[in-house]
Amino acid sequence: YSNIYLLKGTTYTDEGCKAVTNGGVDVSDKIVTTGNVDVNTPGNYKISYTITDSLGSSATIERNVEVLDMYVSSTISEKSATNKSVVLKINSVVDKFSHIILPDGKKVTDSNIEYVISKNGTYAFKVYNTYGLMRQYNYNISNIDKEAPNGSCSGYTTGRKSYITINSKDNTGVLKYVINGIGYSSNNITLNSVVNNPQITIYDMVGNTKTITCSLENRYSYVSSDPSFKLSYKYVNDGNNIPYALFSPSSASGNQDGTPVVLWLHGSGEVGKGESAFKNCSSLTSVTIPN
């Protein structure tokens, strides 16, 4: 080829030239080649091929080699983690620019473009010049997080307080937990009030949220299935839980006058969380109080 086009920074291998005599004899080894190509500097370069016969007659032909510049600069609208789409701006600096093939396959003839990216991945842009030379530029996007955090919780209420433990997971990490408009940075939360089913909103580092409902165990507060236990609940005294029950014999009914009240002060052997602690004390049914 008399004209060669190549991109800056690529390799140039000279194809040489062939010469034969009128009689068909190959004398290519007699050719003298002059000129060189600097592939790192855009421009036009001439390569000359000269052959001289035994009578001193010579012939010269030339090859034109054109080194073309092609590169792109780029910026991204958001480099840190985000829950929004990002905009990739590409500025093409191309000798004899032709077009760009976008990652979605669309062909554009603008050398400066803005491309909106909504999810993580590798995006390839193919830049062409008018000679059909192409250079591909790949961009890896990994800072988009549109997924809400996941979480579960457990805990209990006792006294005048609620104790909550939250287990959460997120791609970018958890920023805070919000209960009743108050934010907490720790996943172990103590509320100075009894909240049976608190709603907890989990915030990740880029603003995604997930709201979960936590069912808390009401410790030392129970209702007996035994009809003899008319009431069964807790007494709160300065933050201490003292479970107690109101026992009414099965023979008693309503507000029967003359029914004695028995106050049972148990020892450590009868400590328990259910009515079994009361039932196991034989004295409960054998105490006799005079009229």
Side-chain angles (χ1 to χ4, degrees):
Y1 299 98
S2 58
N3 294 293
I4 300 291
Y5 306 99
L6 66 151
L7 295 177
K8 175 185 175 181
T10 57
T11 301
Y12 172 69
T13 302
D14 188 62
E15 297 179 357
C17 184
K18 184 176 182 179
V20 295
T21 64
N22 291 332
V25 178
D26 189 335
V27 289
S28 300
D29 58 342
K30 305 296 185 182
I31 296 175
V32 176
T33 303
T34 57
N36 57 62
V37 177
D38 182 357
V39 295
N40 294 313
T41 303
N44 292 310
Y45 298 88
K46 300 291 185 181
I47 306 295
S48 297
Y49 307 93
T50 302
I51 188 169
T52 304
D53 62 17
S54 57
L55 300 177
S57 299
S58 63
T60 299
I61 60 174
E62 291 182 335
R63 172 174 285 132
N64 179 65
V65 179
E66 187 173 359
V67 178
L68 301 164
D69 206 358
M70 178 185 288
Y71 69 90
V72 302
S73 60
S74 62
T75 58
I76 190 169
S77 60
E78 188 65 53
K79 293 183 179 179
S80 57
T82 180
N83 62 354
K84 300 178 177 60
S85 297
V86 300
V87 178
L88 179 64
K89 295 183 179 181
I90 294 181
N91 177 32
S92 303
V93 180
V94 180
D95 291 333
K96 296 179 172 58
F97 172 83
S98 174
H99 63 276
I100 301 174
I101 301 297
L102 302 178
D104 57 10
K106 182 180 178 181
K107 177 181 177 180
V108 294
T109 56
D110 293 328
S111 59
N112 299 321
I113 62 171
E114 293 185 358
Y115 192 78
V116 179
I117 298 174
S118 60
K119 63 180 181 179
N120 295 327
T122 300
Y123 295 83
F125 296 80
K126 297 179 180 179
V127 182
Y128 288 83
N129 65 15
T130 56
Y131 295 117
L133 299 176
M134 183 273 292
R135 183 165 280 167
Q136 179 171 310
Y137 297 88
N138 297 323
Y139 297 89
N140 183 48
I141 305 300
S142 59
N143 62 321
I144 300 175
D145 176 21
K146 295 185 177 182
E147 295 184 8
N150 292 317
S152 62
C153 58
S154 60
Y156 61 92
T157 62
T158 180
R160 295 186 179 93
K161 296 185 179 182
S162 301
Y163 299 90
I164 303 170
T165 298
I166 306 168
N167 296 313
S168 57
K169 182 183 293 185
D170 184 75
N171 296 331
T172 58
V174 173
L175 175 64
K176 63 180 178 179
Y177 309 94
V178 175
I179 304 175
N180 294 331
I182 301 175
Y184 302 87
S185 58
S186 172
N187 68 320
N188 292 308
I189 301 171
T190 300
L191 302 179
N192 291 320
S193 61
V194 174
V195 183
N196 293 324
N197 297 291
Q199 286 194 330
I200 304 168
T201 302
I202 306 172
Y203 285 75
D204 69 10
M205 302 301 290
V206 295
N208 299 312
T209 64
K210 177 69 174 289
T211 299
I212 60 176
T213 300
C214 195
S215 180
L216 303 183
E217 175 191 358
N218 194 358
R219 291 189 176 177
Y220 306 122
S221 179
Y222 59 91
V223 177
S224 174
S225 60
D226 189 328
S228 297
F229 285 81
K230 300 302 183 183
L231 296 174
S232 184
Y233 48 95
K234 64 186 177 184
Y235 171 70
V236 179
N237 180 27
D238 295 331
N240 296 317
N241 294 299
I242 305 174
Y244 75 98
L246 176 62
F247 174 78
S248 180
S250 58
S251 60
S253 61
N255 296 322
Q256 186 173 349
D257 292 337
T259 301
V261 175
V262 179
L263 179 63
W264 172 42
L265 301 176
H266 63 77
S268 61
E270 289 77 35
V271 172
K273 295 182 181 179
E275 62 265 21
S276 61
F278 297 94
K279 289 181 178 180
N280 291 337
C281 183
S282 60
S283 63
L284 185 61
T285 57
S286 63
V287 172
T288 300
I289 298 179
N291 291 332

